[in-house]
Amino acid sequence: MRVYLDSSALLKRVIAESESEDLRAALRRHADERAVLLSSRLAAIEVSRAIRTRFDLGYVAAADFVDDAMSGIAEYPIGDEVVSLSQRLNPNRLRSLDAIHVASAMLLDADLLITYDDRMAEAGQQNGLRPAAPGR
């Protein structure tokens, strides 16, 4: 199984939120089943920026949080294929960075898209992905 995690899911690995424990349990189950955990290189950027903003940290102070969030995640580069597919995805209201995540998940043949972003989940579903938000 190939499980794609967007930034909203990855952040819940390092910031305690209501769904965090359910997400961690789901990821443990996927790991026990030898699932491959995937994300876009974009996720590390988004996670870093979110951590720095939320806790008013510099890059070095945020690095451990980012490392923990991305631990065990295979990162997919943002190449020409991702850019091309991102431009063509529906629905039209899909935000640019979310389109990069959905396109990456599609190109990686993800079996599951874990996201806590309702618009991304809807776009993923419209484009053939199975969304999930453990704890919701």
Side-chain angles (χ1 to χ4, degrees), residues 9-66:
L10 292 165
L11 280 164
K12 290 181 187 311
R13 294 180 83 189
V14 294
I15 297 175
E17 295 182 351
S18 60
E19 303 94 345
S20 292
E21 190 50 45
D22 289 320
L23 171 67
R24 289 186 197 110
L27 294 178
R28 282 191 299 272
R29 283 191 304 275
H30 290 306
D32 289 345
E33 297 167 357
R34 299 196 188 278
V36 178
L37 303 180
L38 309 158
S39 195
S40 168
R41 183 70 183 125
L42 170 64
I45 299 166
E46 289 184 312
V47 168
S48 177
R49 300 308 311 175
I51 293 290
R52 291 180 66 187
T53 299
R54 183 160 183 173
F55 298 109
D56 194 26
L57 299 174
Y59 173 76
V60 172
D64 287 339
F65 289 103
V66 176

Side-chain angles (χ1 to χ4, degrees), residues 94 102 113 115-127 129-132:
L94 183 61
V102 172
L113 168 64
T115 181
Y116 292 87
D117 182 301
D118 294 334
R119 281 187 277 187
M120 189 184 307
E122 178 186 331
Q125 192 164 28
Q126 284 184 21
N127 288 284
L129 297 169
R130 182 170 58 104

Side-chain angles (χ1 to χ4, degrees), residues 4-5 7 10 38-48 59 66-67 70 73-79 82 97 100-101 104-105 108:
Y4 187 95
L5 291 89
S7 303
L10 292 165
L38 309 158
S39 195
S40 168
R41 183 70 183 125
L42 170 64
I45 299 166
E46 289 184 312
V47 168
S48 177
Y59 173 76
V66 176
D67 290 345
M70 301 303 296
I73 306 296
E75 295 179 55
Y76 188 67
I78 304 169
V82 173
L97 299 180
I100 291 171
H101 279 296
S104 296
L108 289 165

